[in-house]
Amino acid sequence: MEQLTQTIQSVPLNHYILFSSIIFAIGVIGVLIRRNAIVIFMSIELMLNAVNLLLAVFSVYHGDPAGQVFVFFVMALAAAEVAVGLAIIVMVYRNTHSIDINVLNRLKW
Amino acid sequence: MSLFYFVALLSIFFALMVIFAKNPVHSVLYLIITFFTFTIHYILLNAQFLAVVNFIVYMGAILVLFLHVLMYMNLNNEGSEMKSMLMKVSGLIAGMCLLVTLVGSMKTLAVSDPVNLQDADLGLVKNLGKVLFSEFLLPFEVSSILLLSAMVGAVLLAKKEPKSI
């Protein structure tokens, strides 16, 4: 473990921010171009993970454990969000027999 | 150092596969691999607690939930085609604009110090537990109430409605 973490020592902070921005942008593109509600949910998970990783990186960069505690809270929130969101998708599927979000544009059945 | 770039490349590749895969089941499987690469990133940062939580909560709980919901719905006959070509191109352009804006704002920030691990046991369970149960005790308890209410809400939403309404 010790020499494994030695390898990270010389990665600039810029590259971490760039990497997280790319993953976040991929999540945004996924939300915009897909019609399947579950894939849209997965793109939102990607965005959450990008932000989580960047929080952990800044926590290590500043030597402050509060950032990692915050990541833990974000993970608990993501679990709650996924449970409720998937329940809503199941309900939509039961009523419309489709999870295409274009079916929902009238906001009534 | 090169290990970070290799894993980052893998993450970006599999994240792209998540949003461009035709079959939603394949998307979930690619998402599992993406989260695994994120776990490797946490290990590289020596955030061992977050690595284990990411592994258990995301790959163990959330993605199993996704797979269950996908199996519950029979999506074989429904082609999960993308939106029309115009929507697809405009969505790609909008996402790329966001990326360019973020990168451009990062350029003006001009920080390029290397990420150094000053305190080697920063991300260990002992250290994080001390912070979590002293400074962040109230948010921790509130998040338990949030999880409880989310569980009740999910059960209530997914329950079959009575016919008479």
Side-chain angles (χ1 to χ4, degrees):
Chain A
M1 187 56 75
E2 199 51 49
Q3 70 266 25
L4 193 63
T5 53
Q6 292 296 321
T7 60
I8 208 68
Q9 297 277 330
S10 47
V11 177
L13 183 60
N14 261 351
H15 293 182
Y16 269 112
I17 301 177
L18 191 62
F19 169 61
S20 288
S21 309
I22 290 171
I23 297 284
F24 191 87
I26 289 172
V28 170
I29 292 171
V31 169
L32 290 177
I33 70 171
R34 293 305 295 259
R35 280 198 330 209
N36 192 327
I38 290 184
V39 179
I40 288 177
F41 248 71
M42 286 192 271
S43 303
I44 293 173
E45 290 299 314
L46 267 183
M47 288 194 265
L48 275 171
N49 260 285
V51 173
N52 275 350
L53 182 67
L54 200 57
L55 265 173
V57 168
F58 273 115
S59 154
V60 169
Y61 180 70
H62 288 291
D64 185 7
Q68 301 198 5
V69 174
F70 207 81
V71 171
F72 175 67
F73 285 131
V74 173
M75 281 180 182
L77 201 79
E81 172 245 338
V82 163
V84 175
L86 285 178
I88 291 175
I89 289 178
V90 167
M91 204 177 65
V92 166
Y93 178 74
R94 193 177 290 148
N95 282 303
T96 65
H97 297 286
S98 163
I99 52 170
D100 195 329
I101 54 166
N102 275 10
V103 180
L104 301 178
N105 58 1
R106 293 188 303 277
L107 286 180
K108 63 179 183 181
W109 311 124
Chain B
M1 181 171 177
S2 59
L3 186 59
F4 164 74
Y5 295 108
F6 177 64
V7 179
L9 214 66
L10 278 183
S11 305
I12 293 171
F13 173 71
F14 285 116
L16 283 174
M17 293 299 281
V18 169
I19 65 169
F20 289 119
K22 289 261 184 279
N23 194 338
V25 178
H26 292 174
S27 286
V28 174
L29 295 179
Y30 284 127
L31 196 63
I32 291 177
I33 303 175
T34 311
F35 285 165
F36 186 68
T37 57
F38 271 89
T39 304
I40 297 174
H41 279 299
Y42 286 129
I43 291 173
L44 284 179
L45 286 170
N46 207 13
Q48 296 173 12
F49 174 67
L50 285 184
V52 172
V53 167
N54 194 53
F55 197 84
I56 294 174
V57 172
Y58 271 103
M59 294 170 64
I62 291 182
L63 289 176
V64 169
L65 209 61
F66 271 113
L67 274 180
H68 261 281
V69 172
L70 271 179
M71 281 195 294
Y72 173 75
M73 301 168 183
N74 186 16
L75 297 177
N76 284 336
N77 46 3
E78 184 182 10
S80 67
E81 76 274 11
M82 310 238 179
K83 288 179 182 173
S84 65
M85 204 61 200
L86 179 67
M87 293 295 286
K88 212 157 81 172
V89 169
S90 56
L92 270 175
I93 290 173
M96 288 302 169
C97 284
L98 176 74
L99 181 61
V100 167
T101 311
L102 286 175
V103 172
S105 61
M106 192 191 76
K107 286 290 179 206
T108 62
L109 203 63
V111 282
S112 59
D113 308 338
V115 177
N116 279 322
L117 194 65
Q118 298 143 0
D119 187 7
D121 50 357
L122 178 73
L124 301 193
V125 181
K126 185 181 173 190
N127 200 356
L128 283 186
K130 275 180 187 162
V131 178
L132 186 62
F133 289 113
S134 59
E135 283 181 59
F136 294 94
L137 186 58
L138 181 65
F140 183 73
E141 299 294 337
V142 171
S143 73
S144 75
I145 298 175
L146 172 80
L147 284 175
L148 178 68
S149 61
M151 187 190 75
V152 173
V155 171
L156 203 67
L157 280 172
K159 198 162 61 88
K160 274 199 170 31
E161 296 171 16
K163 296 287 183 195
S164 60
I165 293 180

